[in-house]
Each structure stands twice: as structure tokens, then as C-alpha cells.
């Protein structure tokens, strides 16, 4: 095997593992923060931090914004299945594109967040949420570190796609 291919392969492998480490850091931060809140708060207890932010302990059997939370339990397995499929796809994309830094960072954040919430579903049957923002009587649904990672990852994916489109448009105009 030529030396350059060997070096590229080694670099790609290292980058792939770097992206998995990023996901693992998200998983650990998510699970540790949820464990801390779960051991220091009673269900639905709130601790005011700022006039618009409380720490609390809430549970979500649904997905984002409690989507499908009213289901009879089937949604737990549905969300676990969706996360399993997403995990396989993300691992494939990370392996195929380890040099695409923004793309892979976005995928790593989404992967870590998805696995963090799946671990909750498997352990508890629901996701632990504890960050609550509000203004007067208007509340944003409570969320957690995994949700932050997923959201940041989604924004990065969108930004990366706009960057790619702009780059392609510039290349066509030359």
C-alpha cells in the first residue's frame, strides 16, 4: 500500500474515533447532569436561578416538546428504534466523511444527545428534563444536555449545508 494512502487511512481512523469521543463526552455530561438533578430534587421541584430560569426535575415520555407523550407506552420503543436507525446512519456518515469537520461535529453532537436520551428511556421509561426557561406565564418546555447537543448539531448541519450550497454556487459561477 502506498505511504500516502496509509497515512490518509490512519488519519481518517483517528478522526473517526475523535468524533466518537465527542459523542461520548456528550453522553457522559448528559447522564451525569441528569443523575445529579435526580438525586438532589424531588419530582417537579423547582429551584429558581434567574427570573427566567429554574432548575427542576421533570419527565418526558414523548419526544421534543412532549410529542407523543400521551401514548400508552409504545412511543418508548418507537423513539428507541428511531434513535437506533439514526445511530447506524450517523456512524456510517462519520466513518465515510471524517475530514468534514463541521458535518462530523454536528453528527457527533446529535449522536451523543440521541444516545443520552435513549439511555434514559431504557433505564426509566422516560427522559429526565431539568432546564426550564420561562417569562411570566409563558414556558419553554423543560430540556436537558442531550437536547442541547441535538439542537446544536441540527443547527450546525443546516449551517454546513448552506456553506456547501454557497461553495457549489460559487464554483459554478467561475
Amino acid at each position: 500500500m502506498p505511504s500516502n494512502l496509509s497515512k490518509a487511512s490512519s488519519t481518517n481512523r483517528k478522526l473517526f474515533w475523535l468524533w466518537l469521543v465527542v459523542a461520548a463526552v456528550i453522553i457522559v455530561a448528559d447522564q451525569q447532569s441528569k443523575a445529579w438533578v435526580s438525586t438532589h430534587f424531588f419530582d417537579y421541584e423547582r429551584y429558581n436561578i434567574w427570573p427566567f430560569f429554574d432548575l427542576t426535575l421533570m419527565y418526558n415520555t414523548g419526544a421534543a416538546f412532549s410529542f407523543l407523550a400521551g401514548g400508552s407506552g409504545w412511543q418508548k420503543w418507537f423513539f428507541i428504534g428511531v434513535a437506533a436507525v439514526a445511530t447506524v446512519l450517523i456512524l456510517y456518515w462519520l466513518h465515510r466523511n471524517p475530514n468534514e469537520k463541521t458535518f462530523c461535529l454536528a453528527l457527533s453532537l446529535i449522536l451523543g444527545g440521541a444516545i443520552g436520551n435513549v439511555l434514559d428511556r431504557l433505564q426509566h421509561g422516560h427522559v429526565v428534563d431539568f432546564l426550564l426557561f420561562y417569562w411570566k406565564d409563558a414556558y419553554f418546555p423543560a430540556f436537558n444536555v442531550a437536547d442541547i447537543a441535538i439542537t446544536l448539531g441540527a443547527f450546525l448541519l443546516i449551517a454546513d449545508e448552506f456553506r456547501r450550497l454557497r461553495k457549489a454556487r460559487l464554483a459554478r459561477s467561475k
Side-chain angles (χ1 to χ4, degrees):
M1 181 185 298
S3 178
N4 288 345
L5 287 177
S6 178
K7 286 179 185 177
S9 177
S10 175
T11 301
N12 286 350
R13 210 172 15 260
K14 287 177 185 175
L15 285 172
F16 173 73
W17 285 104
L18 170 69
W19 301 125
L20 295 184
V21 168
V22 170
V25 167
I26 297 299
I27 295 165
V28 169
D30 177 64
Q31 292 297 296
Q32 289 295 323
S33 61
K34 290 171 179 174
W36 185 87
V37 170
S38 294
T39 58
H40 288 84
F41 284 74
F42 296 108
D43 294 357
Y44 306 101
E45 177 183 3
R46 289 172 56 178
Y47 180 78
N48 182 255
I49 304 292
W50 293 307
F52 56 88
F53 174 67
D54 290 353
L55 286 179
T56 188
L57 177 58
M58 296 183 169
Y59 308 108
N60 183 0
T61 57
F65 304 106
S66 297
F67 175 67
L68 297 178
S72 59
W74 65 268
Q75 72 275 25
K76 169 186 168 181
W77 299 108
F78 173 74
F79 294 133
I80 289 171
V82 168
V85 170
T87 296
V88 170
L89 289 172
I90 289 170
L91 289 172
Y92 173 77
W93 290 325
L94 287 173
H95 188 264
R96 292 225 3 150
N97 305 287
N99 294 308
E100 299 290 331
K101 290 180 177 65
T102 305
F103 180 67
C104 288
L105 177 59
L107 292 177
S108 296
L109 291 170
I110 293 168
L111 179 63
I115 291 173
N117 281 340
V118 161
L119 290 173
D120 276 13
R121 290 183 198 290
L122 289 170
Q123 291 174 14
H124 313 294
H126 57 257
V127 173
V128 175
D129 289 326
F130 58 91
L131 302 169
L132 182 65
F133 285 88
Y134 57 90
W135 185 251
K136 298 184 182 179
D137 291 331
Y139 289 83
F140 189 80
F143 56 98
N144 57 49
V145 172
D147 298 333
I148 293 169
I150 292 167
T151 302
L152 286 174
F155 282 126
L156 280 174
L157 275 180
I158 293 166
D160 189 51
E161 188 58 26
F162 278 124
R163 182 191 57 81
R164 287 178 209 249
L165 291 171
R166 192 178 87 209
K167 189 176 178 182
R169 188 175 56 233
L170 288 173
R172 280 192 312 266
S173 68
K174 288 185 178 184

